[in-house]
Amino acid sequence: KAGVTQTPRYLIKTRGQQVTLSCSPISGHRSVSWYQQTPGQGLQFLFEYFSETQRNKGNFPGRFSGRQFSNSRSEMNVSTLELGDSALYLCASSLASSGTSSYEQYFGPGTRLTVT
Amino acid sequence: AQSVTQPDIHITVSEGASLELRCNYSYGATPYLFWYVQSPGQGLQLLLKYFSGDTLVQGIKGFEAEFKRSQSSFNLRKPSVHWSDAAEYFCAFNTNAGKSTFGDGTTLTVKP
């Protein structure tokens, strides 16, 4: 079974621009979560989508948004990019059925975003 | 507040030596606990997980972890480290499906 895929793998943007990152979960997984990883702040939870609805949200400004499609693929958008948005953005999927499998997350390779 | 603490930022061990990475959590009950490994420029790979039951859990790549409720700990161990184990290791807990809380990570260096 294919793992979580993220595109693009690397991205360079300029301050003020916006960016869209994409994540395809493992087949059959219905939950997709996004995390930001930086050397200073570590791994921080952005938001989680399940069945096209945002189910959980972290403490990030409204410039960070996401959505999920009917095939469970998810996109994350960052508007008005700032230098501090430079990070590795990781997507994780989980089965999200009842029971413990809903808590088990599988991560993609990440998108390295550099804002100049 | 709910949190995960990994007290060791960096650990160096010799190849073939044993390894223990520490993890403590702060939560009102027993959360679901995980260890992940991340190689440079890569995503996180799940090593092992603890939900309930036997407090010693086995994972991939020869790793194991022991849950100790009295100490709120979930330490990762490996009897004999290989050079390929050099990476960053993250402890995490999950109490809300889809939202994990991570420690700051421990970087493991393996000396030849």
Side-chain angles (χ1 to χ4, degrees):
Chain A
K1 191 181 273 191
V4 178
T5 59
Q6 293 187 244
T7 56
R9 291 292 310 278
Y10 302 92
L11 207 48
I12 300 175
K13 290 287 188 179
T14 303
R15 267 181 305 175
Q17 289 185 314
Q18 75 164 14
V19 67
T20 299
L21 312 181
S22 180
C23 171
S24 292
I26 293 171
S27 177
H29 284 197
R30 297 167 61 195
S31 167
V32 173
S33 300
W34 289 89
Y35 295 85
Q36 181 195 65
Q37 185 178 27
T38 60
Q41 299 297 316
L43 277 153
Q44 293 188 290
F45 173 77
L46 281 154
F47 32 64
E48 182 227 1
Y49 286 85
F50 175 73
S51 292
E52 302 179 64
T53 300
Q54 187 179 86
R55 188 165 66 172
N56 283 297
K57 188 177 188 305
N59 296 322
F60 277 81
R63 299 186 297 107
F64 292 82
S65 63
R67 59 177 176 169
Q68 186 180 35
F69 302 94
S70 58
N71 62 357
S72 294
R73 189 177 71 85
S74 176
E75 289 181 346
M76 189 191 94
N77 184 275
V78 187
S79 63
T80 320
L81 283 165
E82 301 177 358
L83 294 179
D85 297 332
S86 294
L88 181 67
Y89 289 89
L90 293 163
C91 164
S93 74
S94 62
L95 197 55
S97 62
S98 59
T100 55
S101 63
S102 62
Y103 295 82
E104 204 169 314
Q105 295 190 300
Y106 293 88
F107 284 79
T111 294
R112 173 72 63 184
L113 172 65
T114 301
V115 182
T116 63
Chain B
Q2 303 173 12
S3 64
V4 179
T5 301
Q6 293 180 245
D8 305 305
I9 297 173
H10 196 168
I11 282 185
T12 299
V13 300
S14 297
E15 190 168 15
S18 64
L19 170 70
E20 182 169 28
L21 302 183
R22 297 182 292 163
C23 172
N24 295 95
Y25 66 88
S26 174
Y27 184 66
T30 299
Y32 297 145
L33 294 158
F34 304 85
W35 274 99
Y36 291 88
V37 62
Q38 185 179 36
S39 297
Q42 301 299 313
L44 276 68
Q45 182 181 22
L46 180 63
L47 283 176
L48 45 75
K49 61 208 176 203
Y50 174 77
F51 293 128
S52 64
D54 193 348
T55 57
L56 186 64
V57 293
Q58 303 297 320
I60 62 171
K61 304 186 180 189
F63 286 93
E64 66 179 25
E66 185 172 15
F67 170 66
K68 292 185 177 180
R69 186 190 309 276
S70 61
Q71 298 176 19
S72 297
S73 69
F74 187 55
N75 293 349
L76 181 72
R77 301 195 294 242
K78 187 170 185 178
S80 177
V81 169
H82 187 262
W83 65 266
S84 60
D85 293 325
E88 190 162 16
Y89 292 80
F90 292 91
C91 180
F93 74 61
N94 193 327
T95 60
N96 186 343
K99 179 182 179 182
S100 294
T101 299
F102 289 86
D104 289 335
T106 298
T107 300
L108 173 64
T109 298
V110 181
K111 291 191 304 183

